[in-house]
Amino acid sequence: MKFCLILLLLSLPVLAFCQENTTVHYKIYDTKNQKIISVDDIVNNMDRADVLFFGEEHSDSTCHILESAIFNKLVTKYPGKTALSLEMFETDCQNVLNEYLAGLIREKNFITEARAWQNYKDYRPMIELAKTSHIPVIAANAPARYVNMVNRMGLASLQKLDDIGKSWLPPLPVDTATGAYYDKFIEIMGGHGAMGGMQMYQAQNLWDATMGWSIARFFKKHRDYKILQVNGGFHSEEKLGAAAQLIKYSPKAKILNIACFSDDSFDNPDWSKFSNGNDYIILTDPKLPKTF
């Protein structure tokens, strides 16, 4: 079994799990019902939701396998009514992404001109499934140059952009979330002194708001779709960040969220440490290979 899963992790396009004993390598926990569940349970629960946020650790091989498995099952359960939204592509690359999905450009050009992440191989199975199944993919993230601009000069600097630049962003001014998300951000950054001002937090909010806005725009036109949003865990843990921004832009959207952790407590997890505000927790075996 262990050999089978290692092979699977080394060949990410493969979606078929060795079913008998995969829970020795990951555990999915339903926080509301306080029980271990399966991928199928998550997909079936999408009957009552519109958007599923999957918060990953970017280098976690098992997370990527599970993302692909969930996406594949959503496509099967909701044929012609499923969409994929990714932090890994920026809004100004949407046209390049569409051209690749339509078979107009080569993968080589797509990877270069859409500025695909270095670990694109981890997300390629979902993109290829979307391509062959004619499924829309949302390039959800803010262009990195604008995030950098805010990090240097603050949110007000976005007003200096021309209409084309602003078209890649949510409506200005971008709301900066306070309360729990701000406190969490300060903690992970190591305190106020480590931030050097509010610009870093404002840049984080631009990142989140753009993803929330990108999903909201699609949802407004496709109310009957099921949308899988994949992003780094911090962006949607406890339904904060991008998840909260989505609700600001589209209050009627119903969301579920997954927080995935590769954690040393895998063999004997303390679920209370992870479960606050999350619908599902996935713990993965930290001993398994990482993708980078």
Side-chain angles (χ1 to χ4, degrees):
M1 173 59 209
K2 183 174 181 180
F3 178 70
C4 177
L5 189 67
I6 293 297
L7 286 179
L8 183 61
L9 293 173
L10 294 175
S11 55
L12 289 173
V14 180
L15 294 176
F17 281 83
C18 304
Q19 294 290 341
E20 300 90 333
N21 200 23
T22 52
T23 53
V24 301
H25 298 290
Y26 70 88
K27 300 172 184 178
I28 308 175
Y29 183 68
D30 181 327
T31 63
K32 179 180 179 180
N33 297 310
Q34 301 284 300
K35 66 177 184 179
I36 300 289
I37 61 169
S38 68
V39 166
D40 286 326
D41 291 323
I42 294 177
V43 172
N44 290 335
N45 287 341
M46 281 299 289
D47 282 343
R48 58 184 173 89
D50 305 300
V51 183
L52 175 62
F53 281 83
F54 194 117
E56 67 171 30
E57 292 182 358
H58 296 315
S59 64
D60 190 335
S61 305
T62 312
C63 271
H64 298 309
I65 291 291
L66 291 169
E67 289 162 357
S68 291
I70 289 171
F71 184 50
N72 186 277
K73 288 177 180 291
L74 284 171
V75 170
T76 300
K77 184 174 175 62
Y78 304 101
K81 298 294 181 181
T82 305
L84 178 64
S85 179
L86 296 172
E87 174 196 356
M88 297 77 201
F89 292 98
E90 298 167 11
T91 52
D92 61 339
C93 296
Q94 184 69 63
N95 191 54
V96 179
L97 177 54
N98 291 347
E99 289 170 349
Y100 178 68
L101 294 174
L104 300 177
I105 62 174
R106 297 181 304 169
E107 184 177 35
K108 177 181 177 180
N109 297 105
F110 161 61
I111 290 172
T112 300
E113 296 182 35
R115 305 192 295 274
W117 284 15
Q118 185 176 1
N119 65 322
Y120 172 68
K121 67 182 187 300
D122 296 330
Y123 310 105
R124 186 178 185 272
M126 293 188 290
I127 293 292
E128 290 302 308
L129 176 59
K131 183 180 180 183
T132 57
S133 302
H134 308 290
I135 294 167
V137 181
I138 303 164
N141 204 357
R145 60 187 181 275
Y146 298 150
V147 176
N148 178 266
M149 189 170 79
V150 171
N151 198 35
R152 291 182 294 111
M153 298 184 288
L155 279 170
S157 65
L158 297 175
Q159 298 288 358
K160 299 178 182 180
L161 296 173
D162 61 17
D163 289 344
I164 294 175
K166 290 177 181 176
S167 72
W168 307 124
L169 299 174
L172 302 179
V174 170
D175 183 33
T176 52
T178 55
Y181 192 58
Y182 177 73
D183 295 340
K184 188 176 179 181
F185 186 82
I186 295 298
E187 181 181 358
I188 199 170
M189 293 305 300
H192 288 87
M195 290 176 55
M198 287 296 292
Q199 294 95 323
M200 188 178 296
Y201 182 63
Q202 291 175 347
Q204 177 79 11
N205 278 264
L206 174 62
W207 208 340
D208 292 327
T210 306
M211 288 192 281
W213 173 246
S214 298
I215 300 167
R217 282 195 302 176
F218 183 89
F219 178 66
K220 183 177 180 180
K221 296 179 180 178
H222 305 86
R223 291 294 179 96
D224 55 345
Y225 271 59
K226 304 298 181 181
I227 305 168
L228 173 63
Q229 158 73 11
V230 178
N231 50 246
F234 192 86
H235 290 291
S236 57
E237 286 172 16
E238 301 172 30
K239 297 183 181 176
L240 300 173
Q245 293 283 4
L246 167 60
I247 297 304
K248 288 181 182 178
Y249 294 123
S250 188
K252 293 185 178 180
K254 293 174 288 186
I255 68 174
L256 294 172
N257 81 311
I258 299 168
C260 188
F261 305 95
S262 177
D263 194 82
D264 290 334
S265 71
F266 178 78
D267 292 325
N268 186 28
D270 175 5
W271 291 112
S272 65
K273 184 173 74 171
F274 306 100
S275 61
N276 289 343
N278 299 301
D279 293 304
Y280 310 107
I281 300 298
I282 298 178
L283 292 188
T284 66
D285 188 345
K287 297 185 291 295
L288 291 177
K290 302 299 182 184
T291 62
F292 63 91

